[in-house]
Amino acid sequence: MTHVKIEAPRMGEPWLLTPGPLSTSFAVKEAMLRDWGSWDTDFRAMTAEVRARLVAMLGPGGASYECVPMQGSGSYCVESMLGTLIPRDGKALVLANGAYGLRAARSLAVMGRAFRVLDKGDYLPPRGAEVAAILDADPAVTHVVAIHCETSSGILNPLAEIAEATAAAGRRLLIDSMSAFGAVPVPPSEIAFDALVSSSNKCIEGVPGFGFMLCRREVLEAAAGNAHSLSLDAHAQWAEMEGSGQWRYTPPTHVVAAFLQALREHEAEGGVAARGARYAANRDRLVRGMRELGFETLLADAWLSPIIATFFCPADPAFAFPDFYDRLKARGFVLYPGKLTVVESFRIGTIGRLDGSVIDAVLSAIGETLADMGVVSAAPPQSALDERARFLEEVKA
Ligand SMILES: *Cc1c(COP(=O)(O)O)cnc(C)c1O
């Protein structure tokens, strides 16, 4: 693994301990200082390089996949994948355990595709056996939609067993790997899937502006005419790129230039394995330090992703998240609010241009902030611990 030099933000901005947009390198930002013509051969070559690098990032078995970039944030790309690959008479099974699974289901509702949802609540993982049972009982389901890392809790869902159950039932798997791709391997030689989507501003450490789909070539070829939308038609975008080398409509040129720099830095760091190892080391250091301060994680160690971790808010009446957030921002660190419905929580991202020294600095800042606020104990309320006990019970079952 190559050691990555992490530089402090040069514009006085805080570190973003968030799941994207996130802290990027200076070189990534600098790549946006020149203008590019969308039709120009230089820019077409950049698009081609981005696409080739992303296919290569899939690893073993990736040669039969095509990359289709799509303008917009990650959700546009999820919608593009669902609408392009699920035929109008198809039916999806959406595996939800948080906000992003529910958003995928909402997209399907808006575009008028048939679907059903396995809703596991805030953070319980959908298991392979459950998927197998639903597919067995509902032969109309053609596609399973899975969230790789559900960023709302930070849980890393068991993709391998979901893929196995889906393939065994002869159905097709579509993956929202938005916050995992580039740091968590998804080798097609081991995990059978038709397509995954991710975006420019997550583990590859670019800036926001587009997403991309990696899709099996024969699946994409068969998807002409499926799409519910003109601008989100991934087949049409792909056909245009294959033909002219151009995006169909105005591309986010500066974002693509920054992303290409981010891809080169990803390779220089040592690829997916090294990126994942840095994030996992960040996560381990963060979780250890937060526990030393008296905080508790929502998830047991086995389900913690290297992307983002959820912590319960302390029960101490002197603690209030908005105040805690403002004080940490003043010290140079931006955290992320929680998304759980039952208990109060907050999240700390461990992706982006961060290393152990940044994690140590945020831990010191958190310790000092608790003291400033007069928080004596960071222990969560009993209700949070009961909630977690329920989680551990169900996960074991
Ligand atoms: C970030 C993210 C998305 C996309 O969100 P946008 O706000 O549209 O970029 C989708 N799914 C997951 C799991 C994510 O983490």
Side-chain angles (χ1 to χ4, degrees), residues 6 34 70 74 91 118 169 177 188-189 293 299 390:
I6 305 290
R34 64 158 284 190
M70 183 63 70
K91 179 176 179 182
L118 171 63
S177 185
S189 59
L293 288 168
L299 301 175
R390 193 181 70 83

Side-chain angles (χ1 to χ4, degrees), residues 5 7 23-30 205 261-262 265 353:
K5 193 174 159 290
E7 336 150 79
S23 291
T24 58
S25 76
F26 191 77
V28 163
K29 291 184 268 279
E30 200 173 39
E205 300 184 359
Q261 174 61 26
E265 292 177 9
R353 212 72 184 162

Side-chain angles (χ1 to χ4, degrees), residues 30-103:
E30 200 173 39
M32 293 186 285
L33 288 177
R34 64 158 284 190
D35 304 315
W36 306 87
S38 62
W39 191 89
D40 187 73
T41 49
D42 291 347
F43 184 71
R44 281 189 256 182
M46 288 158 62
T47 297
E49 185 178 342
V50 162
R51 293 176 64 207
R53 282 178 175 271
L54 288 170
V55 170
M57 206 177 283
L58 276 172
S64 54
Y65 286 71
E66 291 284 326
C67 175
V68 190
M70 183 63 70
Q71 296 95 326
S73 84
S75 302
Y76 293 61
C77 215
V78 172
E79 203 156 300
S80 167
M81 170 176 74
L82 298 177
T84 304
L85 300 186
I86 301 173
R88 295 184 190 211
D89 59 355
K91 179 176 179 182
L93 164 62
V94 180
L95 309 179
N97 54 342
Y100 292 105
L102 295 177
R103 189 181 299 174

Side-chain angles (χ1 to χ4, degrees), residues 249-264:
Y249 310 131
T250 302
T253 47
H254 299 72
V255 177
V256 173
F259 190 67
L260 189 52
Q261 174 61 26
L263 282 168
R264 290 173 180 157

Side-chain angles (χ1 to χ4, degrees), residues 89-287:
D89 59 355
K91 179 176 179 182
L93 164 62
V94 180
L95 309 179
N97 54 342
Y100 292 105
L102 295 177
R103 189 181 299 174
R106 178 101 190 90
S107 294
L108 289 163
V110 169
M111 70 179 77
R113 292 289 190 279
F115 68 97
R116 61 185 288 170
V117 181
L118 171 63
D119 187 354
K120 300 288 297 188
D122 273 344
Y123 43 79
L124 290 172
R127 303 307 301 256
E130 297 173 286
V131 174
I134 295 172
L135 295 180
D136 189 45
D138 191 346
V141 171
T142 52
H143 292 72
V144 173
V145 179
I147 312 297
H148 193 177
C149 171
E150 176 48 80
T151 320
S152 26
S153 63
I155 191 168
L156 195 58
N157 281 320
L159 204 53
E161 64 182 50
I162 292 167
E164 210 172 295
T166 304
R171 317 300 168 82
R172 297 160 172 284
L173 180 62
L174 307 177
I175 305 168
D176 170 352
S177 185
M178 205 68 63
S179 62
F181 187 72
V184 183
V186 199
S189 59
E190 288 168 36
I191 295 173
F193 65 92
D194 271 9
L196 68 74
V197 284
S198 183
S199 75
S200 57
N201 61 291
K202 304 249 175 166
C203 297
I204 298 169
E205 300 184 359
V207 303
F210 72 96
F212 52 88
M213 173 167 76
L214 290 160
C215 181
R216 282 175 50 218
R217 190 171 302 112
E218 61 184 55
V219 170
L220 198 49
E221 277 165 353
N226 281 348
H228 62 296
S229 157
L230 172 69
S231 54
L232 296 177
D233 185 340
H235 178 274
Q237 178 91 320
W238 174 66
E240 180 69 35
M241 283 189 179
E242 288 294 291
S244 70
Q246 295 179 51
W247 301 54
R248 272 186 316 157
Y249 310 131
T250 302
T253 47
H254 299 72
V255 177
V256 173
F259 190 67
L260 189 52
Q261 174 61 26
L263 282 168
R264 290 173 180 157
E265 292 177 9
H266 183 274
E267 183 187 19
E269 183 172 355
V272 175
R275 182 65 51 99
R278 174 161 61 86
Y279 291 170
N282 286 347
R283 185 261 332 264
D284 291 346
R285 203 152 172 160
L286 176 74
V287 167

